[in-house]
Amino acid sequence: MHTFVCNLQAVQLMAVAEHPFYGSFGYHVTSLFAVTSRCGEPDDLKYLIDKAHGYGLIVLLDCVHSHSCSNVDDGLNKWDGTDHMYFHSGSRGFHEQWDSRLFDYSSWETLRLLLSNLKFWLEEFEFDGFRFDGVTSMLYHHHGISASFSGNYQEYFGVSTDVDACVYLMLANELIHTFAPTAITIAEDVSGMPLLCMPLYAGGIGFDYRLGMAIPDLWIKLLKDFDDEGWNIGQLVHTLQNRRHKEKTVAYCESHDQALVGDKTISFWLMDKDMYTGMSDLSPLSPAVERGISLHKMIRLLTFSLGGEAWLNFMGNEFGHPEWLDFPREGNGYSYQHCRRQWSLVDTEHLRYKYLNRWDAAFNGVDEQFDILNCSDEYVSLKHEDDKVIAFEKGQLLFVFNFHPVKSFEHYRVGVGMPGKYCVLLCSDNVEFGGQGRVSCSSEHFSYPEPWQGRPNYVQLYLPCRTACILRLVNDA
């Protein structure tokens, strides 16, 4: 229900297939066809999917066909007494970093096993598609370990490429899209393999989307290693736009690595211990929390609007959940304390989490109205390093971000393509989103017919520090 209220359109379920070790987060699968017993019976999963479908939500399964648990007693490893029933024999069949077995995609039995597994989840549980885990590991014999990808095509099409794995992924996408034409497939690939998300008839591997994995890495690097004045605006915009033409990307600003124990979510990097004492409206707003709430909203909108053709959010991050996910393990005394999201935080009216949640719901609502993610008419007119201002147009919408920590700008010129009247559609500084209300949403901004920043017209705006605004072209001049 929370997903539906936030105007999101799909949910991705992780750790569904049976796995013995909770700490693997579902990635050491022992039984590809079994629903993990930790969450109930198979019929309970069917009920969950049916309820999600009732809200109009797409349900995707996190599919782990890149490797398998190395357990012998309860896994596929040495199932027939050999080490090569479904896997490569010898050292080639082991992943040195994951402590798991690697499938032999040239084997007919392996292909039957994995392809039938995909159809099983589609047919029996009516999943609407898959997010394929560890695709980079599948595509290359080196599995991406100690490999750097500069964009040189020899890095993608050479002796290091696992052709059998590529063929399996082609077959998988063909099966999925033939059996369920509306199904969605997403590849977790950090290498940037060309044609990964192009259809088979165009020479591609057939995925619908790839994950924009460089984006969350950059955000965490900026928050960990640089002060606000040190952010490289040009590098930020480049990373958000750096994707292959006509290959769709899923943008996200923090991954499950940040949501899980061992790292921090963006909200925690921004506000740290102040989240425990400063998130109540009943107490004065501290500088740390004010900065954190402001940047959290801006980071998410910028990633959403410029980073790809789809948007991924790990549950709870939309309202800045303060703590990590940590499954029961030896290191925490097998505790369930952090094995949940605290939904009460966003439902408690006097806590400031509600502002972040409202903001996420609001910009997702704008996307429903204007289809931001699928808009190909995009032009970045401004990446100002000193002012820390980013401006770009998508269709009839103008996005403006002022990341400067202290400088606000009056009558700031922003180039626009279309002449006319521009009105504020959404502003992160609105009081309803925890802002100061410095921008009037009723004000009208008329364009001037003079070239500016490579555009034939410009508008003048008030840009408070740490504020993001979406303006709409109301009418043509």
Side-chain angles (χ1 to χ4, degrees), residues 248-382:
K248 295 181 179 180
T249 295
V250 179
Y252 57 113
C253 53
E254 51 194 322
S255 71
H256 63 287
D257 292 331
Q258 280 85 58
L260 299 173
V261 66
D263 207 331
K264 300 178 183 178
T265 61
I266 283 180
S267 62
F268 218 54
W269 275 114
L270 288 167
M271 294 175 273
D272 205 66
K273 63 181 183 300
D274 286 73
M275 297 197 76
Y276 294 114
T277 58
M279 291 300 285
S280 173
D281 271 333
L282 304 178
S283 60
L285 184 64
S286 70
V289 171
E290 181 180 15
R291 169 183 177 268
I293 289 177
S294 298
L295 288 179
H296 194 273
K297 291 180 290 185
M298 297 180 70
I299 288 170
R300 292 178 68 81
L301 177 62
L302 181 60
T303 306
F304 178 91
S305 55
L306 200 59
E309 293 75 28
W311 165 249
L312 172 64
N313 168 70
F314 285 86
M315 67 177 189
N317 292 349
E318 69 277 6
F319 63 85
H321 197 284
E323 293 180 336
W324 54 86
L325 283 172
D326 188 10
F327 295 138
R329 56 188 175 83
E330 184 178 358
N332 63 14
Y334 299 99
S335 170
Y336 286 82
Q337 181 180 355
H338 293 286
C339 191
R340 79 282 187 261
R341 300 279 79 178
Q342 298 184 61
W343 301 110
S344 60
L345 295 175
V346 71
D347 295 330
T348 302
E349 188 58 30
H350 71 269
L351 295 182
R352 293 186 169 109
Y353 298 99
K354 64 179 181 289
Y355 300 130
L356 301 178
N357 193 62
R358 289 174 187 169
W359 174 250
D360 252 58
F363 71 66
N364 275 285
V366 172
D367 177 61
E368 285 196 356
Q369 184 179 0
F370 294 96
D371 202 13
I372 298 169
L373 293 170
N374 290 313
C375 179
S376 59
D377 182 14
E378 176 182 291
Y379 187 89
V380 178
S381 58
L382 182 61

Side-chain angles (χ1 to χ4, degrees), residues 373-410:
L373 293 170
N374 290 313
C375 179
S376 59
D377 182 14
E378 176 182 291
Y379 187 89
V380 178
S381 58
L382 182 61
K383 299 172 286 186
H384 201 293
E385 294 295 344
D386 293 333
D387 294 345
K388 303 301 178 189
V389 174
I390 300 171
F392 56 91
E393 299 160 85
K394 296 197 77 167
Q396 59 183 306
L397 300 182
L398 171 64
F399 295 77
V400 186
F401 298 78
N402 179 10
F403 278 98
H404 204 286
V406 295
K407 286 186 180 180
S408 298
F409 304 99
E410 291 186 289

Side-chain angles (χ1 to χ4, degrees), residues 212-221 251-255 258 266:
M213 300 178 69
I215 300 174
D217 290 344
L218 178 60
W219 281 124
I220 297 303
K221 181 177 177 62
Y252 57 113
C253 53
E254 51 194 322
S255 71
Q258 280 85 58
I266 283 180

Side-chain angles (χ1 to χ4, degrees), residues 139-214:
L139 292 173
Y140 309 98
H141 295 301
H142 54 60
H143 310 297
I145 300 173
S146 301
S148 60
F149 297 93
S150 64
N152 188 315
Y153 281 95
Q154 292 182 355
E155 298 167 351
Y156 305 109
F157 306 111
V159 295
S160 64
T161 304
D162 190 333
V163 176
D164 294 322
C166 292
V167 171
Y168 163 66
L169 292 173
M170 292 177 184
L171 290 171
N173 278 290
E174 179 69 10
L175 180 147
I176 293 166
H177 292 120
T178 299
F179 182 78
T182 61
I184 297 171
T185 58
I186 303 169
E188 186 203 30
D189 171 46
V190 72
S191 73
M193 166 66 81
L195 301 176
L196 183 67
C197 298
M198 294 294 286
L200 270 64
Y201 65 78
I205 292 180
F207 284 99
D208 298 303
Y209 296 89
R210 64 163 22 105
L211 292 178
M213 300 178 69

